[in-house]
Amino acid sequence: MAHPKRKTSKTRRDKRRTHYKASMPTIAKDSVTGEMHLFHRAHWHEGKLYYKGQVLIDKTEEETAA
């Protein structure tokens, strides 16, 4: 089994890890509401849950019924 002959310094270890970077999330604009949201994610707008331009949950109807 291989093992290091010398201890790897923190600087040398961190230099090797510099290639792993966080990328910016892709943001889409909803065609119905104009709201900016993450791709493939449902989002809330004015008490309604939208996904692909369709209303999934409408909290405004629930509040008026109660």
Side-chain angles (χ1 to χ4, degrees), residues 20-33:
Y20 303 111
K21 301 214 181 332
S23 59
M24 290 290 292
T26 310
I27 297 178
K29 184 176 180 181
D30 191 0
S31 58
V32 177
T33 62

Side-chain angles (χ1 to χ4, degrees), residues 33-56:
T33 62
E35 189 79 13
M36 301 302 281
H37 64 92
L38 293 174
F39 268 119
H40 307 291
R41 303 289 193 286
H43 63 281
W44 288 97
H45 182 70
E46 296 179 358
K48 297 178 183 177
L49 183 67
Y50 287 90
Y51 183 68
K52 292 187 177 179
Q54 297 178 350
V55 178
L56 298 178

